[in-house]
Amino acid sequence: MDTFNYLSVFVSIILGLGVTQLLSGFADWLEHRHAVKPHGPSLAWAGTLLLLHIQTWWTLFGLRHVEQWQFLQFFVLLLQPILLYLLAALAMPKAATHPDLQQAFHSNRRWFFALLIGLLVVSLLKDLLITGALPERSNLLFHAGAALAAVLGIAINHERVHQLLAYSTVLTIMLYIGLLFTRLP
């Protein structure tokens, strides 16, 4: 087993935990749909996070040519799925403890968007530490747009704004993946 395969197992496990969190959250919501008050932005963010988990796993393959790994590089790489998992836990809480998804979202929104900013920083730091350069300009623009959305999410506590942020982010992430990550590197 080469170094990349060895290290990618641990990253994949954590990504799998995040996907499990999201899918079990969706299943829990479906099972208790009569008792749970739905919230469109929460479901949109959960869908976005599912896409980001898959995109993160998809792009991990691009690191297969890295032969020498340092612990700091691996640690920063590992932070990405860890933050995705934490975001997933906030986006899709258990129905038994949070039957009102809107209330759960707004009580956790600052943490959610702060973690999202952390994810964006870690994504850029990962590229810098592993490849020695920041990602290409279009990728940086998507990161900047997502960071702006996260700052707005922290600063503004208005439901219409959060609807706009959540739904536009779903579309932006689909565009981001469609433009930059349709083929394995």
Side-chain angles (χ1 to χ4, degrees), residues 33-52:
R33 66 189 170 279
H34 301 296
V36 176
K37 183 179 174 189
H39 181 237
S42 295
L43 298 173
W45 280 114
T48 298
L49 289 167
L50 184 59
L51 284 172
L52 287 175

Side-chain angles (χ1 to χ4, degrees), residues 63 66 69 73-74 76-77 125-133:
L63 300 176
V66 177
W69 283 88
Q73 293 171 318
F74 177 65
V76 170
L77 175 66
L125 188 59
K126 174 195 70 167
D127 284 353
L128 195 57
L129 287 173
I130 294 173
T131 68

Side-chain angles (χ1 to χ4, degrees), residues 87-145:
L87 284 162
L90 292 177
M92 286 302 290
K94 298 290 181 202
T97 54
H98 297 285
D100 185 340
L101 288 178
Q102 181 176 359
Q103 187 275 331
F105 174 81
H106 285 287
S107 68
N108 291 318
R109 79 177 166 79
R110 286 194 169 125
W111 275 99
F112 180 85
F113 289 110
L115 288 170
L116 183 57
I117 290 169
L119 177 67
L120 294 165
V121 170
V122 164
S123 174
L124 296 175
L125 188 59
K126 174 195 70 167
D127 284 353
L128 195 57
L129 287 173
I130 294 173
T131 68
L134 289 171
E136 63 185 50
R137 185 172 181 248
S138 56
N139 198 338
L140 283 174
L141 288 173
F142 277 108
H143 278 74

